[in-house]
Amino acid sequence: MEEQLYDELLVELECPICTNYMSPPIRQCATGHSVCENCRKKLPKCALCQGRFTDSRNLSLEGLAVKMRYPCINKPSGCSARLSYTERDTHELRCPLKGFRCAMEKCPWVGRLEDIAAHWASKKMSSKPYHKSNVCHTKMKAESYYVNMVDAHDKLFWFKCKLTKNKLYWAVQYIGNAAEAENYFYEIEIFKPGRTKKKILISDYCQAIDLENSQLFHDDACVSINADSIANFVSGDQLLLYYMRVNVVKDENLAQTQAAVQQPIPYQGAKSNKQRDRSKGPPHANKDQKKKYNQQKNLSKQKDGFVLL
């Protein structure tokens, strides 16, 4: 009886767009239709009534969502777990009945997250799995597809490269919770050996593992470049060389913040036991002392023979 009641209430929490269960925050349009947060971010207006979205949330449904126990997304595969909305992502990522597919297009293997690395190793590929920074090469052969595993930042990714219709695409997919994919980004830096200043750098956020190749290899889902525009970088044996790097978004922001911080140069003035108002800046007993202070300040800006302005 309890399970039947849960199932009836869960129907009220189904997003009308993607049919997944909604959890806080639950968004509303001006008419009152509720949608999940992911669909709200993707839609310019309500798909049911074409009305505009508001900043309001459906607090009644959110209150219900907090009290519900949700079935695992792998229930059709036999998982009987009932989870709170805060437990769902963690469980579904590690659910023993969850299947991750091999990135090779003709490989039928489907397995657990912890088994992917062993499966890839069993293929005995000529190239070893990539790390967070790699020198790569692509054979500029029409309608070609290349894939490799990336082991970076204690996470696993698929690196995919495809040349089709005279356009070269690169994509990196995060293997795990789709919500964590945009915590990482990748860079493709095309270079020409012996000419270090001649290069092209393009980057994008990593994509979720659930995105099919038919959706992945598009300009709005990965980085791409016209083959004609990189002809000068291709060697005589039709090889294109480039760096491929996988980075953590928060690490990049932290580095920029640290680079912007500059330590002030303390003023070493005459010592005095007398207290003064420090809000007025360094003391200048007379013009000679002020002149000496400015000279010290200018000298402190000099580095390796250059004056930093």
Side-chain angles (χ1 to χ4, degrees):
M1 181 66 180
E2 182 180 352
E3 184 174 349
Q4 181 181 355
L5 176 61
Y6 265 108
D7 290 341
E8 291 175 356
L9 291 175
L10 281 170
V11 173
E12 303 300 322
L13 289 170
E14 288 183 359
C15 175
I17 310 302
C18 65
T19 70
N20 291 328
Y21 294 125
M22 296 182 289
S23 57
I26 299 175
R27 303 297 182 179
Q28 286 185 308
C29 73
T31 306
H33 297 123
S34 297
V35 298
C36 69
E37 178 76 350
N38 288 336
C39 288
R40 169 64 185 89
K41 290 178 179 179
K42 297 175 183 177
L43 297 173
K45 54 187 177 181
C46 179
L48 300 179
C49 66
Q50 303 302 305
R52 63 179 181 85
F53 282 107
T54 68
D55 294 329
S56 62
R57 293 159 56 175
N58 191 326
L59 299 180
S60 296
L61 277 184
E62 287 186 7
L64 177 63
V66 170
K67 297 178 176 66
M68 293 299 295
R69 306 293 293 182
Y70 296 85
C72 174
I73 197 173
N74 300 305
K75 182 180 179 180
S77 301
C79 182
S80 59
R82 288 277 183 173
L83 313 151
S84 68
Y85 84 95
T86 58
E87 298 171 332
R88 288 171 63 197
D89 288 343
T90 302
H91 168 83
E92 291 173 0
L93 177 61
R94 296 292 179 181
C95 178
L97 296 174
K98 178 180 177 65
F100 289 95
R101 289 185 296 174
C102 177
M104 297 292 289
E105 289 185 323
K106 295 182 180 180
C107 180
W109 183 87
V110 178
R112 299 180 302 168
L113 176 63
E114 50 266 37
D115 296 331
I116 292 178
H119 164 71
W120 192 251
S122 70
K123 288 182 170 294
K124 298 180 179 179
M125 306 292 290
S126 57
S127 60
K128 296 181 179 180
Y130 289 150
H131 299 290
K132 62 182 180 180
S133 183
N134 313 268
V135 177
C136 310
H137 68 270
T138 292
K139 186 75 172 179
M140 300 296 287
K141 181 181 178 182
E143 303 305 317
S144 60
Y145 173 68
Y146 173 79
V147 62
N148 199 4
M149 176 171 286
V150 181
D151 186 350
H153 311 290
D154 296 322
K155 303 291 183 180
L156 294 178
F157 305 79
W158 288 123
F159 169 67
K160 299 179 179 180
C161 178
K162 186 171 185 177
L163 178 60
T164 180
K165 297 180 180 178
N166 204 41
K167 203 166 190 177
L168 189 58
Y169 296 88
W170 293 277
V172 174
Q173 288 180 285
Y174 173 71
I175 305 175
N177 186 352
E180 299 176 5
E182 289 201 354
N183 291 338
Y184 304 89
F185 71 100
Y186 63 101
E187 297 176 307
I188 302 295
E189 184 180 329
I190 305 169
F191 67 93
K192 195 173 182 72
R195 304 194 67 186
T196 58
K197 300 303 180 184
K198 186 178 180 67
K199 60 184 177 182
I200 297 175
L201 178 63
I202 46 181
S203 65
D204 200 353
Y205 290 96
C206 294
Q207 287 285 1
I209 188 62
D210 298 330
L211 201 62
E212 300 287 344
N213 281 1
S214 58
Q215 300 172 290
L216 182 64
F217 292 118
H218 288 282
D219 292 340
D220 58 347
C222 67
V223 299
S224 63
I225 196 165
N226 192 290
D228 294 335
S229 64
I230 55 174
N232 291 333
F233 291 88
V234 179
S235 64
D237 52 359
Q238 294 301 297
L239 282 179
L240 178 69
L241 294 176
Y242 53 90
Y243 293 105
M244 190 281 292
R245 294 181 285 263
V246 177
N247 302 310
V248 182
V249 171
K250 63 181 181 181
D251 284 355
E252 179 200 39
N253 294 338
L254 179 61
Q256 291 176 348
T257 302
Q258 290 175 339
V261 175
Q262 296 181 352
Q263 295 296 328
I265 301 170
Y267 168 68
Q268 302 296 332
K271 295 183 179 179
S272 175
N273 294 326
K274 185 178 180 180
Q275 296 296 319
R276 62 180 179 83
D277 184 359
R278 294 180 179 274
S279 67
K280 296 181 179 180
H284 301 296
N286 51 52
K287 292 183 178 180
D288 291 338
Q289 188 177 357
K290 184 174 181 181
K291 182 178 181 181
K292 183 179 180 181
Y293 168 69
N294 290 332
Q295 288 174 345
Q296 289 177 340
K297 186 177 179 181
N298 290 334
L299 286 173
S300 66
K301 291 184 178 181
Q302 294 185 4
K303 184 177 181 181
D304 298 332
F306 294 92
V307 176
L308 305 180
L309 299 179

